[in-house]
Amino acid sequence: MSFDKELEKKAEETEEIIRNYLPKEEGYQKTVIEAMNYSILAGGKRLRPMLAGETYRMFGGSGKLAEPFMAAIEMVHTYSLIHDDLPCMDNDEYRRGRKTAHVVYGEGMAVLAGDGLLNFAFETAVKAFSLAKNEEEMKRAADALAVFAGKAGIYGMIGGQAADIEAEDRKEEVTEEKLIFIHEHKTAALIQSSMMTGAILAGASREEIKKIEKCAYNIGIAFQIQDDILDVTGSLEKLGKQAGSDEKNKKATYVKLKGLEQAKKDADSLSKEAIAIISSFRDRNTFLEELIRYLITREK
Amino acid sequence: MSFDKELEKKAEETEEIIRNYLPKEEGYQKTVIEAMNYSILAGGKRLRPMLAGETYRMFGGSGKLAEPFMAAIEMVHTYSLIHDDLPCMDNDEYRRGRKTAHVVYGEGMAVLAGDGLLNFAFETAVKAFSLAKNEEEMKRAADALAVFAGKAGIYGMIGGQAADIEAEDRKEEVTEEKLIFIHEHKTAALIQSSMMTGAILAGASREEIKKIEKCAYNIGIAFQIQDDILDVTGSLEKLGKQAGSDEKNKKATYVKLKGLEQAKKDADSLSKEAIAIISSFRDRNTFLEELIRYLITREK
């Protein structure tokens, strides 16, 4: 099967898993649940849960143990978009061609829908405990939950968000160290969460989990540098936004800090290292390797 | 020791436990952590974690297993206040005499501080797994986590919040059933979470946990009815807010729906039942009994 076909098939399977875990739109709290589902069903490639599921498979995982985490990761990703889009944050009225949650449901309800999804991510991940077949799997679920929680919070995604909005508010010059901090936390942390929880649930060793953490870090940073490069070189058609918009927004970017050539070199070497790591394990998952290549060499 | 003295001592012990679990204000994400700690250290009687700890003790719990949950419950309570106070929700500039988080740190940072606290509540509760001494305690931690997550989310506190703001937005007539739904979810759910996690972690039986859930339900509803009664009968001095403010705000209240006399009767019978339940277990905790009595018969 071609990679494109396989990606499509895996995306459908992942979509199915996510839908299985969504709450029913009923009861006096129906509206907030509608707002949650509206946002999570707005589309998206489901790349994070797919990375979780494929890493789980690579380390020999079978059965449904990873599924609650796959759904939970997409919930965390979605809640962060809802809160990001709020008027007091990025103030975006559209995302993926649809009106954002606060435009449709009002700001108060959008705050609650984001809270609801973050909380429901944990309600969902906790369901892995009832799928655990033995004490060993219970322990893995507990370890995965700790990583999942950590990478989503102030030492993960929220930490990156906070540093980012603060830097923008203060219009301060962002150092390379700080820019990498923001990319690592805002973007790489959820990719780490995805791949690490997959590895942990499948019973990967401590050393293997460390390698997966590094691999996912590289993917996240390379992805962001690529984004900065495309902003300079990309065309409106391919990118769906005006090229050069970062420059107009005075946003600190990796390209601005290091120059276009160095940025390309760095993205390339981070990508190569990520691929080298993921190909280094005893059992390989060629779809996962291609998926990672796809993620970091995209042209839009 | 008098109840007041004992309450003071327990409050100090609980405060100490909460502080042990707070994040350090450092790193590029320092500001969001400051906003989180500013809000959680704004005071408050720490009644929810105290209920958790005392229910844990009543069912024979010893050691530190309940402590992460005690801190986590206060974090959930605090994040809900931060988001409640936002301009797009209740738009409150002061709480307990201090400026609210969004006034001090800005709206975007306040949204993130709320998200950060909710997420950190789970990061904290998960630490119970590393305190568990055996498989049995692991299982209890997993069960407690499921209840903790459920009672905080759309089938608990967030569900009540959502129904409440929707009813206010639409200025609709609230039925008794809906008002009870709002009180049960917005207020009683976190009290249930507190007492039930305490009971579960101590190894209470399924039947005992059911009784605790009912007891906490009664406490929450009686507490809210009492609030409505005090709004009508209380003086400004005792209550700290203008008596009759619910009437002015056209807010649906239990007193309005059922009349003052019936409201008093209902609060009284709910309270008596709660006390009867908590006194019915083999081992008793007289401080817990007095604490519950204090909660539902307060005059301010």
Side-chain angles (χ1 to χ4, degrees):
Chain A
M1 208 189 304
S2 74
F3 172 69
D4 283 354
K5 276 266 174 239
E6 201 170 356
L7 181 61
E8 203 178 297
K9 190 173 139 268
K10 297 272 188 189
E12 276 166 26
E13 289 167 9
T14 310
E15 188 70 25
E16 185 66 25
I17 290 166
I18 294 167
R19 281 173 192 264
N20 280 342
Y21 282 99
L22 295 184
K24 284 215 181 69
E25 297 169 8
E26 60 188 18
Y28 285 126
Q29 64 279 71
K30 188 171 179 240
T31 307
V32 72
I33 300 176
E34 275 177 16
M36 289 160 64
N37 290 349
Y38 171 83
S39 303
I40 207 165
L41 295 174
K45 302 201 192 77
R46 316 303 192 193
L47 295 170
R48 291 164 194 79
M50 214 185 284
L51 284 169
E54 293 302 318
T55 309
Y56 180 68
R57 284 209 313 122
M58 184 179 75
F59 285 108
S62 64
K64 295 177 178 297
L65 191 62
E67 292 188 2
F69 279 92
M70 291 169 68
I73 284 161
E74 195 68 9
M75 291 171 195
V76 167
H77 174 57
T78 304
Y79 109 79
S80 77
L81 301 181
I82 298 176
H83 282 185
D84 254 25
D85 289 337
L86 286 169
C88 64
M89 305 276 275
D90 289 352
N91 195 18
D92 282 318
E93 294 189 3
Y94 285 89
R95 181 176 286 275
R96 297 192 188 114
R98 298 212 313 171
K99 287 184 176 162
T100 46
H102 66 91
V103 174
V104 179
Y105 296 95
E107 269 183 72
M109 198 55 85
V111 169
L112 290 177
D115 295 346
L117 269 175
L118 171 54
N119 197 93
F120 203 67
F122 286 101
E123 292 173 70
T124 302
V126 162
K127 288 177 182 157
F129 287 109
S130 33
L131 297 173
K133 289 191 210 80
N134 47 47
E135 195 185 351
E136 171 59 26
E137 288 196 348
M138 282 273 295
K139 278 190 184 149
R140 288 181 196 170
D143 289 347
L145 199 58
V147 167
F148 175 75
K151 294 290 182 186
I154 47 173
Y155 302 113
M157 188 184 67
I158 295 171
Q161 275 286 75
D164 194 20
I165 70 163
E166 189 172 47
E168 284 190 18
D169 279 358
R170 293 183 179 170
K171 304 198 190 322
E172 67 184 19
E173 286 296 318
V174 173
T175 61
E176 185 183 343
E177 189 186 270
K178 190 163 193 166
L179 186 67
I180 293 287
F181 175 92
I182 291 170
H183 287 346
E184 177 184 350
H185 290 79
K186 218 178 138 170
T187 306
L190 271 203
I191 298 176
Q192 292 179 316
S193 172
S194 306
M195 297 181 71
M196 289 171 76
T197 52
I200 292 166
L201 292 169
S205 70
R206 196 175 291 248
E207 200 194 329
E208 287 166 332
I209 294 160
K210 274 272 161 230
K211 282 186 186 168
I212 287 295
E213 185 169 27
K214 171 70 178 136
C215 175
Y217 170 90
N218 280 24
I219 296 170
I221 305 289
F223 184 90
Q224 274 302 336
I225 298 178
Q226 188 69 5
D227 212 51
D228 292 351
I229 293 171
L230 287 172
D231 187 72
V232 177
T233 65
S235 71
L236 178 60
E237 187 197 2
K238 276 189 181 170
L239 212 61
K241 62 174 176 177
Q242 197 84 42
S245 69
D246 289 343
E247 180 62 39
K248 254 183 247 149
N249 298 336
K250 303 262 176 226
K251 208 175 154 74
T253 77
Y254 198 82
V255 173
K256 238 187 273 175
L257 279 169
K258 311 272 282 190
L260 186 60
E261 283 318 300
Q262 190 59 43
K264 281 181 178 170
K265 272 186 203 159
D266 290 352
D268 190 56
S269 83
L270 284 162
S271 304
K272 282 198 176 117
E273 197 186 4
I275 300 286
I277 295 171
I278 208 70
S279 324
S280 73
F281 298 106
R282 203 192 51 197
D283 297 308
R284 292 175 63 174
N285 176 338
T286 50
F287 174 74
L288 178 58
E289 291 170 29
E290 286 187 86
L291 180 62
I292 291 170
R293 217 172 263 124
Y294 163 81
L295 269 170
I296 50 197
T297 56
R298 79 216 152 90
E299 284 179 14
K300 57 174 184 171
Chain B
M1 208 189 304
S2 74
F3 172 69
D4 283 355
K5 276 266 176 240
E6 202 170 356
L7 181 61
E8 202 179 299
K9 190 172 140 269
K10 297 273 188 187
E12 278 166 25
E13 290 167 8
T14 309
E15 188 71 25
E16 184 67 24
I17 290 167
I18 293 167
R19 281 172 192 265
N20 279 341
Y21 282 99
L22 294 184
K24 285 214 180 68
E25 297 169 9
E26 60 188 17
Y28 285 127
Q29 64 279 71
K30 188 171 180 241
T31 307
V32 71
I33 300 175
E34 275 177 19
M36 290 160 64
N37 290 348
Y38 171 83
S39 302
I40 207 165
L41 295 175
K45 299 200 194 80
R46 314 305 192 194
L47 295 171
R48 291 165 193 79
M50 214 185 285
L51 284 169
E54 292 302 319
T55 309
Y56 180 69
R57 284 210 311 121
M58 184 180 75
F59 285 108
S62 64
K64 295 176 178 298
L65 191 62
E67 293 188 2
F69 279 91
M70 291 168 68
I73 284 161
E74 194 69 9
M75 290 172 195
V76 166
H77 174 57
T78 305
Y79 110 79
S80 77
L81 301 180
I82 297 177
H83 281 185
D84 255 23
D85 289 337
L86 287 169
C88 63
M89 305 276 274
D90 289 351
N91 195 18
D92 281 319
E93 295 190 2
Y94 286 88
R95 183 176 283 277
R96 297 194 188 112
R98 296 213 313 171
K99 286 185 175 160
T100 45
H102 65 91
V103 174
V104 179
Y105 295 96
E107 268 183 72
M109 198 55 87
V111 170
L112 290 176
D115 295 345
L117 267 175
L118 171 56
N119 197 93
F120 204 67
F122 287 100
E123 293 174 69
T124 303
V126 161
K127 288 178 182 157
F129 287 108
S130 33
L131 297 174
K133 288 190 211 81
N134 47 47
E135 194 184 349
E136 170 59 27
E137 287 196 350
M138 282 272 296
K139 277 188 185 149
R140 289 182 197 169
D143 290 345
L145 200 57
V147 167
F148 175 74
K151 293 291 182 187
I154 48 174
Y155 302 113
M157 188 183 67
I158 295 171
Q161 276 285 77
D164 193 20
I165 70 163
E166 190 172 44
E168 284 189 19
D169 280 359
R170 295 182 180 170
K171 304 196 192 324
E172 66 184 20
E173 286 295 319
V174 173
T175 60
E176 184 182 344
E177 189 187 89
K178 189 161 192 168
L179 187 67
I180 293 286
F181 175 93
I182 292 170
H183 287 345
E184 177 184 351
H185 290 80
K186 218 178 139 171
T187 307
L190 271 202
I191 297 174
Q192 291 179 316
S193 172
S194 305
M195 296 181 71
M196 288 171 77
T197 52
I200 292 167
L201 292 168
S205 70
R206 197 174 289 249
E207 198 193 331
E208 286 167 331
I209 295 161
K210 275 272 161 228
K211 283 186 186 169
I212 287 295
E213 186 169 26
K214 171 71 177 135
C215 174
Y217 170 89
N218 280 23
I219 296 170
I221 306 289
F223 184 91
Q224 275 299 337
I225 298 178
Q226 189 69 5
D227 213 52
D228 293 350
I229 294 171
L230 287 171
D231 186 73
V232 177
T233 64
S235 72
L236 179 60
E237 186 196 7
K238 273 189 183 167
L239 211 62
K241 62 173 177 178
Q242 197 84 42
S245 67
D246 290 341
E247 182 61 41
K248 254 184 249 151
N249 298 336
K250 304 260 176 224
K251 209 175 152 70
T253 77
Y254 198 83
V255 173
K256 239 185 276 174
L257 280 169
K258 310 273 281 189
L260 186 60
E261 282 318 300
Q262 190 59 43
K264 280 182 180 171
K265 271 186 206 158
D266 291 350
D268 190 56
S269 83
L270 286 162
S271 305
K272 281 198 177 118
E273 197 186 5
I275 300 285
I277 294 171
I278 209 69
S279 324
S280 72
F281 298 106
R282 202 192 53 199
D283 296 308
R284 291 177 61 174
N285 175 338
T286 50
F287 175 72
L288 177 59
E289 291 170 29
E290 286 186 87
L291 180 61
I292 291 169
R293 216 171 265 123
Y294 163 81
L295 269 169
I296 49 197
T297 56
R298 78 218 153 90
E299 284 178 15
K300 58 171 183 178

